[in-house]
Amino acid sequence: MEQLPKCPECGSEYTYEDGQNYVCPECAHEWSQTAEEVEEGIVARDANGNLLTDGDTVTVIKDLKVKGSSSTLKIGTRVKNIRLVEGDHNIDCKIDGFGAMKLKSEFVKKN
Ligand SMILES: [Zn+2]
Protein backbone atom coordinates (compact mmCIF):
# COMPACT_ATOMS: atom_id res chain seq x y z
CA MET A 1 0.00 0.00 0.00
CA GLU A 2 1.07 3.54 -0.63
CA GLN A 3 2.36 5.33 2.44
CA LEU A 4 0.30 8.43 3.13
CA PRO A 5 1.59 11.17 5.44
CA LYS A 6 0.07 11.68 8.87
CA CYS A 7 -2.29 14.57 9.41
CA PRO A 8 -0.18 17.67 10.26
CA GLU A 9 -2.97 18.95 12.51
CA CYS A 10 -3.82 16.01 14.75
CA GLY A 11 -1.30 13.29 13.79
CA SER A 12 -3.97 10.85 12.63
CA GLU A 13 -2.72 7.96 10.48
CA TYR A 14 -6.03 7.54 8.66
CA THR A 15 -5.29 10.10 5.98
CA TYR A 16 -6.84 9.47 2.59
CA GLU A 17 -6.41 11.02 -0.84
CA ASP A 18 -9.02 13.23 -2.46
CA GLY A 19 -7.88 14.41 -5.88
CA GLN A 20 -4.87 16.67 -5.37
CA ASN A 21 -5.44 16.86 -1.62
CA TYR A 22 -4.98 14.75 1.46
CA VAL A 23 -7.90 14.63 3.87
CA CYS A 24 -7.93 13.71 7.55
CA PRO A 25 -11.15 11.92 8.57
CA GLU A 26 -10.64 12.70 12.26
CA CYS A 27 -10.29 16.48 12.27
CA ALA A 28 -11.42 17.16 8.67
CA HIS A 29 -8.16 18.94 7.87
CA GLU A 30 -7.34 19.09 4.14
CA TRP A 31 -3.98 19.93 2.63
CA SER A 32 -2.30 19.85 -0.74
CA GLN A 33 -0.15 16.90 -1.75
CA THR A 34 2.31 19.23 -3.43
CA ALA A 35 2.74 21.73 -0.59
CA GLU A 36 5.89 20.16 0.80
CA GLU A 37 7.68 19.91 -2.53
CA VAL A 38 7.00 23.54 -3.30
CA GLU A 39 8.44 24.68 0.04
CA GLU A 40 11.63 22.73 -0.47
CA GLY A 41 12.38 24.35 -3.84
CA ILE A 42 13.91 27.75 -4.33
CA VAL A 43 11.29 30.43 -4.02
CA ALA A 44 11.94 33.50 -6.14
CA ARG A 45 9.41 36.24 -6.75
CA ASP A 46 9.53 38.96 -9.36
CA ALA A 47 8.91 42.66 -8.74
CA ASN A 48 5.15 42.04 -8.73
CA GLY A 49 5.34 39.15 -6.30
CA ASN A 50 4.74 36.45 -8.91
CA LEU A 51 6.54 33.16 -8.43
CA LEU A 52 9.28 32.46 -10.93
CA THR A 53 10.25 29.02 -12.18
CA ASP A 54 13.11 27.55 -14.18
CA GLY A 55 12.74 28.25 -17.89
CA ASP A 56 10.69 31.42 -17.48
CA THR A 57 11.22 34.47 -19.65
CA VAL A 58 11.48 37.73 -17.72
CA THR A 59 11.95 41.41 -18.50
CA VAL A 60 14.41 43.69 -16.69
CA ILE A 61 12.51 46.55 -15.02
CA LYS A 62 15.37 48.94 -14.30
CA ASP A 63 18.80 49.73 -15.70
CA LEU A 64 21.34 47.50 -14.01
CA LYS A 65 25.09 47.98 -13.84
CA VAL A 66 26.93 44.85 -14.90
CA LYS A 67 29.72 43.84 -12.55
CA GLY A 68 33.17 43.95 -14.13
CA SER A 69 31.88 45.74 -17.20
CA SER A 70 31.19 49.33 -18.21
CA SER A 71 27.97 48.39 -19.94
CA THR A 72 24.51 48.60 -18.48
CA LEU A 73 21.76 46.08 -18.78
CA LYS A 74 18.89 48.20 -20.07
CA ILE A 75 15.37 48.32 -18.77
CA GLY A 76 13.12 46.23 -21.01
CA THR A 77 15.77 43.62 -21.81
CA ARG A 78 14.18 40.22 -22.24
CA VAL A 79 15.91 37.36 -20.48
CA LYS A 80 15.00 33.89 -21.67
CA ASN A 81 15.24 30.55 -19.97
CA ILE A 82 16.20 31.67 -16.47
CA ARG A 83 17.40 29.25 -13.83
CA LEU A 84 16.73 29.78 -10.14
CA VAL A 85 19.65 29.48 -7.75
CA GLU A 86 20.27 30.00 -4.04
CA GLY A 87 21.59 33.35 -2.88
CA ASP A 88 21.23 37.08 -3.08
CA HIS A 89 21.28 37.07 -6.88
CA ASN A 90 18.80 34.28 -7.35
CA ILE A 91 18.49 34.13 -11.13
CA ASP A 92 21.12 32.51 -13.32
CA CYS A 93 20.82 33.41 -17.00
CA LYS A 94 22.49 34.15 -20.29
CA ILE A 95 21.87 37.45 -21.99
CA ASP A 96 22.77 38.28 -25.59
CA GLY A 97 25.77 40.60 -25.60
CA PHE A 98 26.56 39.97 -21.94
CA GLY A 99 26.91 36.22 -21.59
CA ALA A 100 26.25 34.32 -18.40
CA MET A 101 25.25 36.46 -15.44
CA LYS A 102 23.19 36.59 -12.29
CA LEU A 103 20.24 38.82 -11.52
CA LYS A 104 18.09 39.61 -8.53
CA SER A 105 14.50 38.50 -9.00
CA GLU A 106 13.24 41.81 -7.55
CA PHE A 107 14.56 43.65 -10.62
CA VAL A 108 12.65 41.60 -13.20
CA LYS A 109 9.07 40.85 -14.02
CA LYS A 110 7.64 37.70 -15.48
CA ASN A 111 6.44 37.86 -19.11
ZN1 LIG B 1 -6.34 15.44 11.52
Side-chain angles (χ1 to χ4, degrees):
M1 250 186 79
E2 197 182 345
Q3 190 69 32
L4 299 177
K6 290 182 181 178
C7 172
E9 290 290 315
C10 71
S12 167
E13 295 174 6
Y14 303 108
T15 304
Y16 63 90
E17 284 178 280
D18 181 19
Q20 290 298 305
N21 291 327
Y22 290 124
V23 182
C24 170
E26 302 204 19
C27 71
H29 181 60
E30 282 186 42
W31 68 103
S32 169
Q33 293 186 23
T34 55
E36 274 177 48
E37 287 171 38
V38 170
E39 278 176 27
E40 280 172 18
I42 299 168
V43 177
R45 290 178 189 277
D46 73 1
N48 297 324
N50 295 315
L51 280 174
L52 298 171
T53 50
D54 286 356
D56 275 351
T57 298
V58 297
T59 302
V60 176
I61 59 160
K62 62 174 276 188
D63 288 350
L64 298 171
K65 280 230 169 72
V66 180
K67 240 190 210 171
S69 154
S70 57
S71 45
T72 304
L73 188 59
K74 292 284 185 197
I75 183 169
T77 303
R78 272 164 63 96
V79 183
K80 287 182 196 167
N81 200 18
I82 63 167
R83 201 167 64 84
L84 301 180
V85 293
E86 298 276 3
D88 182 33
H89 290 65
N90 49 3
I91 295 176
D92 223 358
C93 59
K94 257 188 185 165
I95 302 173
D96 291 344
F98 292 94
M101 59 183 295
K102 288 187 171 181
L103 297 172
K104 290 186 182 185
S105 61
E106 66 208 72
F107 295 139
V108 303
K109 71 172 197 277
K110 194 171 174 169
N111 284 43

